[in-house]
Structure formats: C-alpha cells, structure tokens
Amino acid sequence: PKGDLSWYVKWISSVLIIIAMALTSANIYPTNIWFHMIGVTGWLVVGMLWHDRALIFLNGVAIFVFASGLLNYYYG
C-alpha cells in the first residue's frame, strides 16, 4: 500500500539494487556488494512486514551470499 513503511523501504531498496547492478556491470567492487547488501536487507524487512516467506527466504539467502563475498574480500 502506498504511503506505509513497506512502500518506502521497497522502493528505496529497489533503487539501491539497481545501482548495485550498474556498479557490478562497471566492475566496481566491493562497493557493488555493499549496495546489494543494503538493498536486499531492505527487501528482507519488507518480507517480514508482509509476512511473505518467499521474500524472507530469498533475501535472507542473498544477505548470506553477499556477506560471504565481503568477508572473503576483506579477510580472505
């Protein structure tokens, strides 16, 4: 629904993920992963607000994947 918290979070998160995709295509690493992490975390919040298990599962896995990449970059 327009105007509630989930509406703002999903649109901001979507824009962040689009920016992350552009950064990925330009091979700007790890900044792209940070943008992805923030975007999918927002979508995880939306999934929780909507009680949508598919969104929670997908974005929970995405956070794990991106966090693994960041840990590998900084500590690997």
Side-chain angles (χ1 to χ4, degrees):
K2 186 176 180 183
D4 72 348
L5 176 63
S6 67
W7 188 87
Y8 292 101
V9 174
K10 76 178 180 181
W11 280 105
I12 292 168
S13 298
S14 294
V15 169
L16 291 173
I17 291 171
I18 291 168
I19 292 169
M21 289 187 286
L23 292 170
T24 299
S25 71
N27 200 25
I28 301 174
Y29 187 83
T31 307
N32 62 332
I33 302 300
W34 283 109
F35 273 84
H36 274 294
M37 278 286 288
I38 297 166
V40 298
T41 300
W43 270 104
L44 176 66
V45 170
V46 172
M48 294 167 98
L49 290 171
W50 290 353
H51 306 286
D52 187 319
R53 291 182 194 153
L55 284 177
I56 294 168
F57 177 74
L58 173 67
N59 292 292
V61 170
I63 289 170
F64 174 77
V65 170
F66 292 132
S68 297
L70 288 171
L71 287 172
N72 186 47
Y73 178 80
Y74 289 111
Y75 303 107

